[in-house]
Amino acid sequence: MTSRKILVTSALPYANGPLHLGHMLEQIQTDIWARFQRSRGHHCRYICADDAHGTAIMLSAEAQGRTPEAHIADIQVHHQSDSEGFLVFFDNYHSTHADENLKWSEKIFTTLEQNGHIAIRSVIQAFDEEKGLFLADRFIKGNCPRCKAPDQYGDNCEACGATYSPMELIDAVSALSGTQPVEKASDHLFFTLSAFHDLLDGWVSADNLQPAVANKLREWIDAGLQDWDISRDAPYFGFEIPGHPGKYFYVWLDAPIGYIASHQNFCERSGDDFDSYWQSGSDAELYHFIGKDIINFHGLFWPAMLWSAGLRLPTAIYAHGFLTVDGTKMSKSRGTFIMASTYLEHLNPEYLRYYFAAKLGSGVDDIDLNLEDFVQRVNSDLVGKVVNIASRCAGFLRKKFDNQLSVDCSEPELIGELMAAGDGIAALYEARDFQRAMRDIIALADRANQYIDDKKPWVMAKEEGQEQAVQDACSVGINCFRVLMTYLKPVLPAMAEKSEQFLNVSLDWALLDAPLEAHTISDFSPLIQRVDPASIDAMVEASKA
């Protein structure tokens, strides 16, 4: 198998608050895929960063009486701690407020401007005279002009669904000062996305996107691409645009460039060849894992920017759906808006890694964390089926055979069947169809458990002259467990590490060419505990607003 050179990213968390389980859905999905690629012998790097600019961060820091730099530094520590808690392994985690990102943002913008892809236009916006700030939609509230519902933000009504201009709100006020905003003109810089119709038409038509994502992007292209406002007025926490004093890059301009910056930061420390990943014509593969709510930025603006700047386009963009809990939108009042750190205080991270894997397909469907099903699925699949194989067999091998596996597995057909399933499971991992991969792996675990049930080593152990049959049956069971845990290693890295210590062998996909024979294992110790429903209740209670 030829080794591939792969760079993987997930969307950059906004550095203005803690991570919740919705963030972890994406990071876990990406981490599983990256770990799988490494398990197949490929050179795969997973990089990410904090998205650290914008008015919201500036205002939060101001409210807390500290600088934006101190605010984002503190948030980044918490973000990285949460990700590590869920066993998400980044080759590099950086910040968009970094020298590398300043350099690349300026370089790409300057190239866009030289290529004639930046236009200047006057824009009339709401302005808070007391704060001295132009107001984004989310910082204006008032009564809906259609249904009169009070306290509606921005450009749409949550009560009736109406859309409107923020200044159409009845009795509109600034959410920052409570004063009535005024209209004020300001020159803004626009990226002329409309000039990239042919490029994006071809990009969407190629096999780079999931069908649902391609269809949505096609709608925007067919409706006529709108030029994109990439500037914000001072005061603003971000990078000032070169040649345009008082104008700052809009956060969504420098956020995706943060992928490049974080990777460069990694390459400078590790010695990886940075240019071989990002230059046009590169044979490296570049994949972005994102939520379906930001496909316009990654599927339209980002490839157009890259192309104009003379850089390579992504190999593919993979979007996932939203996370719901118990069938509805996450809710603080119900205790289902669960922070990553709150989960980690109560539950094993591998429970969630497995449950997400068991629910994630290759499409953009929403994922529901049903807490009752979560308990049942983890306990049944991981404890009752996978670990059960090892625990049932290890005791007999320890008591009667000094932890020694049979010299010759007398019935290797089952082990061969499990090993032969590897290519199909690998294809499902590659296609991000983790749901079907988990289903196939658990079906194999059922086959192994059925084998042990049929052999009944606990009965044979009481019969004279059946010692070899007991050792053989349990050796087959341990070999089946080894194969299953090799397949599950991208999802359950900590449990896999414990299993390697138990089996005294590395769980390496490439080593699944023959069963372990005349091999000594270690004493078995619990690999994962059952989910205690009381821990779920405690987590939900701790999450209530």
Side-chain angles (χ1 to χ4, degrees):
M1 185 191 298
T2 304
S3 178
R4 295 153 59 191
K5 190 159 69 171
I6 302 170
L7 181 63
V8 184
T9 76
S10 53
L12 312 187
Y14 197 47
N16 202 32
L19 301 182
H20 53 69
L21 295 193
H23 293 108
M24 298 322 305
L25 172 68
E26 181 172 302
Q27 290 192 7
I28 288 170
Q29 180 189 32
T30 315
D31 181 69
I32 289 171
W33 198 76
R35 286 179 184 271
F36 162 72
Q37 297 298 349
R38 296 185 200 107
S39 78
R40 300 290 280 176
H42 301 308
H43 183 87
C44 181
R45 302 299 194 190
Y46 176 16
I47 58 102
C48 197
D50 262 10
D51 180 5
H53 289 153
T55 303
I57 285 172
M58 179 181 74
L59 295 172
S60 291
E62 180 184 299
Q64 295 172 38
R66 59 181 178 175
T67 64
E69 289 84 358
H71 178 63
I72 62 173
D74 181 54
I75 294 290
Q76 183 170 344
V77 169
H78 290 288
H79 283 183
Q80 289 186 256
S81 175
D82 288 343
S83 298
E84 289 169 9
F86 279 96
L87 310 176
V88 173
F89 175 77
F90 299 113
D91 288 282
N92 198 54
Y93 197 91
H94 206 36
S95 169
T96 58
H97 192 65
D99 290 342
E100 296 93 345
N101 207 37
L102 172 61
K103 173 194 141 186
W104 275 102
S105 297
E106 290 183 342
K107 181 177 181 178
I108 289 174
F109 170 79
T110 300
T111 306
L112 299 182
E113 195 170 39
Q114 290 170 348
N115 290 343
H117 293 142
I118 299 295
I120 299 177
R121 297 172 192 154
S122 180
V123 177
I124 296 176
Q125 294 171 272
F127 185 76
D128 184 326
E129 293 181 300
E130 183 173 309
K131 295 289 289 185
L133 275 174
F134 285 98
L135 296 171
D137 295 348
R138 66 184 179 280
F139 294 128
I140 305 170
K141 66 178 182 178
N143 300 335
C144 172
R146 178 191 290 175
C147 74
K148 310 300 188 288
D151 287 329
Q152 296 305 308
Y153 283 86
D155 58 358
N156 69 89
C157 176
E158 290 188 354
C160 73
T163 58
Y164 40 74
S165 151
M167 295 304 288
E168 290 181 82
L169 283 165
I170 300 168
D171 298 328
V173 296
S174 165
L176 304 180
S177 68
T179 62
Q180 184 176 354
V182 299
E183 292 186 337
K184 185 175 180 179
S186 175
D187 285 345
H188 276 251
L189 286 80
F190 285 77
F191 175 48
T192 57
L193 190 67
S194 55
F196 295 88
H197 178 277
D198 291 347
L199 170 80
L200 294 172
D201 187 61
W203 153 258
V204 169
S205 299
D207 193 22
N208 308 310
L209 305 161
Q210 297 137 299
V213 172
N215 291 340
K216 187 62 185 176
L217 296 176
R218 170 72 56 205
E219 287 179 22
W220 284 320
I221 293 171
D222 291 346
L225 292 167
Q226 302 298 307
D227 293 346
W228 179 37
D229 187 344
I230 61 162
S231 64
R232 293 296 183 265
D233 290 283
Y236 188 82
F237 181 59
F239 295 143
E240 192 167 25
I241 301 176
H244 301 273
K247 303 292 178 182
Y248 289 76
F249 288 123
Y250 173 44
V251 60
W252 265 109
L253 185 285
D254 66 59
I257 295 172
Y259 299 138
I260 301 176
S262 181
H263 187 230
Q264 182 181 40
N265 178 262
F266 169 75
C267 290
E268 288 172 350
R269 291 186 295 102
S270 67
D272 269 21
D273 181 9
F274 172 79
D275 287 339
S276 68
Y277 284 86
W278 290 99
Q279 293 308 310
S280 182
S282 167
D283 62 354
E285 301 170 44
L286 171 63
Y287 300 97
H288 298 306
F289 285 74
I290 61 168
K292 66 182 180 181
D293 54 326
I294 54 174
I295 58 172
N296 56 335
F297 295 107
H298 286 80
L300 297 176
F301 306 139
W302 181 230
M305 281 169 51
L306 289 168
W307 186 85
S308 181
L311 299 172
R312 57 88 45 81
L313 271 58
T315 307
I317 294 172
Y318 297 139
H320 60 81
F322 298 132
L323 178 68
T324 58
V325 179
D326 286 342
T328 60
K329 187 177 178 181
M330 292 194 293
S331 161
K332 291 181 179 177
S333 63
R334 288 194 300 272
T336 57
F337 195 95
I338 302 166
M339 296 302 173
S341 58
T342 306
Y343 176 100
L344 291 169
E345 287 169 7
H346 295 90
L347 292 164
N348 184 328
E350 292 197 297
Y351 297 158
L352 193 68
R353 287 180 66 98
Y354 177 74
Y355 191 76
F356 279 166
K359 303 277 275 192
L360 276 162
S362 58
V364 294
D365 296 331
D366 292 346
I367 306 298
D368 185 50
L369 169 57
N370 180 291
L371 295 174
E372 188 175 324
D373 178 57
F374 171 84
V375 175
Q376 190 278 329
R377 180 82 64 102
V378 172
N379 287 346
S380 172
D381 290 359
L382 296 188
V383 182
K385 295 182 178 180
V386 177
V387 174
N388 189 49
I389 299 166
S391 63
R392 293 171 90 183
C393 297
F396 293 109
L397 292 169
R398 178 179 62 82
K399 290 173 190 172
K400 295 180 176 290
F401 307 101
D402 294 326
N403 283 330
Q404 187 84 359
L405 301 186
S406 295
V407 173
D408 178 17
C409 284
S410 59
E411 295 186 58
E413 293 83 2
L414 179 60
I415 304 169
E417 180 185 327
L418 266 63
M419 288 182 176
D423 287 346
I425 290 167
L428 293 172
Y429 267 118
E430 180 70 42
R432 306 167 331 283
D433 199 345
F434 302 159
Q435 183 179 43
R436 285 181 60 199
M438 296 307 104
R439 189 179 68 201
D440 286 1
I441 292 167
I442 297 305
L444 294 174
D446 286 335
R447 290 274 294 109
N449 278 297
Q450 185 61 55
Y451 170 86
I452 297 165
D453 287 342
D454 292 343
K455 291 294 181 182
K456 295 182 173 57
W458 55 91
V459 173
M460 291 193 292
K462 298 173 184 175
E463 298 173 353
E464 200 159 328
Q466 293 294 312
E467 289 82 2
Q468 189 62 52
V470 171
Q471 187 183 23
D472 288 349
C474 291
S475 296
V476 170
I478 293 298
N479 269 288
C480 289
F481 173 76
R482 172 208 178 197
V483 177
L484 295 170
M485 281 309 304
T486 300
Y487 297 157
L488 286 168
K489 188 175 180 178
V491 179
L492 305 169
M495 188 169 148
E497 186 176 341
K498 291 179 185 176
S499 299
E500 287 173 331
Q501 293 167 3
F502 160 61
L503 295 168
N504 289 327
V505 68
S506 175
L507 295 173
D508 187 330
W509 214 297
L511 298 178
L512 294 180
D513 54 357
L516 298 174
E517 295 178 323
H519 176 82
T520 304
I521 60 174
S522 299
D523 286 350
F524 179 83
S525 56
L527 300 172
I528 194 166
Q529 303 294 329
R530 295 177 68 83
V531 183
D532 182 356
S535 298
I536 299 284
D537 295 339
M539 176 184 70
V540 170
E541 195 59 36
S543 300
K544 287 182 179 175

